[in-house]
Amino acid sequence: GKTALVTGAAGGIGAAISRGLAYAGAEVALCGRTLSKCQALEAEITAAGGRASAHLLDVADLASIRRCVDEVMARYGKIDVLFNVAGVNKREGLLDVEEADYDRIMDTNLKGVYFMTQAVAREMYKRRSGSIVNIGSHNDEGMLGGCSVYGATKSGVVALTRAMAVEFAQYGIRANAISPGHIITELTQVS
């Protein structure tokens, strides 16, 4: 009976979380940059008897965040759970990272979590209830070579989650981070 918004919903981890939420009875707002992938997941979930809807979202774009949250609120009237799953990486040595790649990874993995949470938490605050789950990584503490920017963002996500937990507790909003180990997804494949 809960409504969950999942960013990066059509990616490997996001899709698994979205399916699990839908199969457990949640209405799932499938949000991501590739609307066609979110729509395909929506069709899969609804064909299996679940409830889901696809929404365009680029977490690196504040206007896109606002549009998406407004759209989900208009459809469901509430957001009980936010899963911040969207993430990108480019494996490069510390000395090889260009500013454009640095900005893209930071904007998606850290800034996106910050401002997506801000937009959704404002809605949760009105109901004095909610749960925020941020996806960290085993790279948030144990670093792999060639993942400096990604690791920095995921360490930031864990620190940001602690700040959310402390600040939002008084409003009935929980915040937790999950830091999975290595999972074979499109993001983790090395060409």
Side-chain angles (χ1 to χ4, degrees):
K2 301 287 186 182
T3 299
L5 187 158
V6 181
T7 73
I13 293 173
I17 288 170
S18 298
R19 287 182 191 104
L21 289 166
Y23 298 156
E27 303 170 310
V28 186
L30 308 165
C31 306
R33 284 183 305 171
T34 309
L35 187 59
S36 60
K37 287 183 179 180
C38 291
Q39 289 167 331
L41 184 57
E42 174 188 4
E44 175 192 327
I45 288 171
T46 56
R51 293 174 297 170
S53 57
H55 306 271
L56 184 62
L57 170 66
D58 179 354
V59 296
D61 179 342
L62 288 141
S64 179
I65 288 172
R66 288 186 204 103
R67 278 191 305 273
C68 181
V69 171
D70 288 348
E71 190 177 294
V72 172
M73 286 299 298
R75 180 176 181 113
Y76 298 109
K78 65 182 177 128
I79 300 170
D80 297 298
V81 182
L82 168 63
F83 269 87
N84 281 307
V85 184
V88 296
N89 190 22
K90 182 175 181 186
R91 290 185 181 215
E92 313 181 273
L94 202 87
L95 301 179
D96 300 319
V97 176
E98 299 285 335
E99 184 179 13
D101 290 329
Y102 178 92
D103 288 345
R104 182 177 65 87
I105 297 167
M106 282 287 179
D107 286 352
T108 300
N109 297 5
L110 188 56
K111 180 181 169 185
V113 169
Y114 191 99
F115 286 104
M116 190 71 198
T117 299
Q118 187 181 72
V120 173
R122 283 191 171 115
E123 298 301 332
M124 291 175 169
Y125 171 84
K126 294 173 188 174
R127 299 175 63 238
R128 296 293 200 265
S129 176
S131 179
I132 298 161
V133 182
N134 298 322
I135 300 299
S137 167
H138 61 96
N139 276 296
D140 57 34
E141 288 196 26
M143 294 295 162
L144 294 174
C147 292
S148 61
V149 182
Y150 179 81
T153 64
K154 292 303 184 174
S155 295
V157 165
V158 172
L160 182 57
T161 304
R162 287 194 296 269
M164 290 173 189
V166 169
E167 200 167 321
F168 293 157
Q170 63 186 317
Y171 306 116
I173 302 168
R174 294 180 317 279
N176 293 281
I178 298 171
S179 296
H182 192 81
I183 297 173
I184 303 299
T185 65
E186 189 176 323
L187 176 67
T188 63
Q189 298 302 301
V190 180
S191 52

